[in-house]
Amino acid sequence: MADKLLDIQHLGVHFAIGGLFDKSTLRAVHDVHFSVDRGDIVALVGESGSGKSTIAKLICRLEKPTSGKILLDGKDVLETEPHAAGKEYRKRVQMIFQYPFGSLNPVHTVAYHLSRPLQLHQIIRSNDLRPRILQLLETVGLRPAEDFIDKFPHSLSGGQRQRVAIARALATEPDLICADEPTSMLDVSIRMDILRLLTDLRKEQQTAFIFVTHDLAAARQLADRILVLYAGQLVEEATSDDLIADPKHPYAQLLLAAAPQQGGSLDTPLPAKPGAPKNVDPQPGCAFAERCSQAMDVCRQQTPGWTWMENKRRVRCYLYGDTRADEETTK
Ligand code: SF4
């Protein structure tokens, strides 16, 4: 039976934007719920601005939600005492950032970067620091580790820097790592190596990953399940194979249609009706209705809820059932 590690319940972030007389609400993330089992890899996929990176930051407690719950092993981490519980939580939930050139401090060596989490979380005695750092470098494929430990970030390639960032995330032996587009700044040849490394880490250490990406091919290769986001809302969840073989939600279909056969990047424009995601002062109805070629009257009047399908698949669209958001049931 699956061992549930993380449970996200109705998570939301709404910002007030605008001036004194033209206040608006930006709904960056709205009513997002999903779970991650121990050793699971879940991909969050969507266009820029869909809320996927914000969700990763919320889960890593780098931003505060305005609503919802984050449960780790069934314990609501937002209710516990912020500082002490936050430190313990951060030990168990780590983040890899998108930009390997900015996530390492140029004035410090690799050894310094990897020693910080080990010291801050009092994981190791100072005599054992160097052997443990060498071991971490070996784990992420920087071999021989002695050649890298005293280097500064400027003398490393982008791929090597991202491996150092991954080693830093691994230092606390976390249960979950949120990887925010970890390969998007790297050359294509290096991307595959980093994805392989993450897959190996999952196998060897049972680390769960939330993999934020706009690269459907990478999501398929790495993830057990894919969650599709649009305008801050989840619109479809399925196993990677099911979603790539037969996307149900019209937006997921557009994402797949826009992805090249090789590489799967979504940098090319989507073959959709013109329009941007509506998440400023959102009105009732489907957020995708303006761009959807199959929109019906009901789509513009009431927000669709979840329709559940085989294989724990769910889709938020009236084409698959008349479930309204205010009367939906979770299964
Ligand atoms: Fe299109 Fe309606 Fe489905 Fe939204 S609910 S994706 S508008 S068919």
Side-chain angles (χ1 to χ4, degrees):
M1 193 175 145
D3 181 4
K4 190 185 284 188
L5 174 69
L6 184 81
D7 196 7
I8 300 299
Q9 297 183 354
H10 306 286
L11 202 61
V13 185
H14 297 185
F15 299 107
I17 56 171
L20 195 57
F21 301 108
D22 59 346
K23 281 200 174 111
S24 298
T25 301
L26 170 66
R27 209 171 65 173
V29 172
H30 181 67
D31 195 24
V32 164
H33 47 274
F34 65 94
S35 61
V36 180
D37 293 336
R38 213 168 288 279
D40 222 3
I41 302 186
V42 172
L44 299 180
V45 173
E47 291 170 283
S48 296
S50 60
K52 54 192 190 304
S53 293
T54 305
I55 292 172
K57 285 181 192 155
L58 291 170
I59 290 171
C60 290
R61 299 189 69 182
L62 300 176
E63 286 189 19
K64 281 188 181 172
T66 46
S67 59
K69 292 183 175 183
I70 299 172
L71 282 77
L72 189 71
D73 284 336
K75 193 168 141 194
D76 185 349
V77 300
L78 301 173
E79 275 200 349
T80 50
E81 198 274 312
H83 184 66
K87 193 172 172 190
E88 178 58 27
Y89 182 78
R90 285 198 176 90
K91 187 177 170 192
R92 298 186 61 193
V93 179
Q94 287 281 316
M95 183 138 184
I96 301 167
F97 295 93
Q98 176 178 14
Y99 190 56
F101 303 94
S103 67
L104 302 178
N105 189 330
V107 302
H108 289 302
T109 62
V110 168
Y112 176 86
H113 284 96
L114 300 194
S115 67
R116 293 298 288 155
L118 293 169
Q119 289 173 322
L120 282 173
H121 293 284
Q122 295 163 350
I123 290 168
I124 214 155
R125 288 175 307 158
S126 48
N127 282 354
D128 299 328
L129 258 181
R130 194 166 174 98
R132 176 63 181 141
I133 291 170
L134 290 169
Q135 192 183 35
L136 284 166
L137 292 173
E138 292 274 344
T139 303
V140 298
L142 290 174
R143 303 181 187 118
E146 282 285 2
D147 286 359
F148 293 94
I149 189 166
D150 295 315
K151 283 194 170 170
F152 285 87
H154 67 82
S155 57
L156 301 174
S157 68
Q160 289 169 342
R161 288 181 207 203
Q162 197 59 303
R163 284 175 191 267
V164 173
I166 293 170
R168 180 175 56 186
L170 288 174
T172 61
E173 298 180 15
D175 296 308
L176 174 69
I177 294 178
C178 293
D180 185 5
E181 307 249 20
T183 59
S184 63
M185 304 298 292
L186 305 177
D187 292 341
V188 174
S189 56
I190 297 164
R191 287 182 195 180
M192 292 302 291
D193 291 342
I194 296 292
L195 293 179
R196 244 178 256 124
L197 170 62
L198 299 183
T199 310
D200 292 346
L201 291 172
R202 181 264 279 274
K203 267 192 219 142
E204 289 160 14
Q205 308 192 7
Q206 274 293 291
T207 313
F209 285 90
I210 292 177
F211 178 50
V212 174
T213 185
H214 60 271
D215 185 334
L216 275 177
R220 182 190 196 179
Q221 184 188 338
L222 191 66
D224 304 298
R225 287 180 297 136
I226 297 178
L227 281 68
V228 181
L229 280 148
Y230 185 77
Q233 277 194 312
L234 286 180
V235 296
E236 184 164 359
E237 175 179 3
T239 65
S240 303
D241 288 343
D242 284 351
L243 193 120
I244 298 292
D246 181 22
K248 299 290 187 195
H249 194 280
Y251 175 64
Q253 292 168 0
L254 286 171
L255 283 185
L256 197 69
Q261 288 299 308
Q262 297 290 325
S265 169
L266 296 178
D267 294 335
T268 46
L270 295 175
K273 287 187 195 175
K278 288 261 179 218
N279 50 2
V280 176
D281 289 337
Q283 302 298 314
C286 173
F288 191 58
E290 270 196 22
R291 299 175 71 189
C292 180
S293 56
Q294 300 174 75
M296 303 165 278
D297 287 345
V298 66
C299 304
R300 298 184 185 87
Q301 290 155 4
Q302 288 195 278
T303 307
W306 288 109
T307 298
W308 288 82
M309 300 174 172
E310 282 182 359
N311 214 9
K312 292 188 178 170
R313 182 174 205 166
R314 55 179 173 149
V315 60
R316 192 189 281 278
C317 175
Y318 286 121
L319 293 173
Y320 305 95
D322 192 4
T323 311
R324 316 286 165 109
D326 56 359
E327 61 193 41
E328 70 183 1
T329 55
T330 53
K331 291 178 190 171

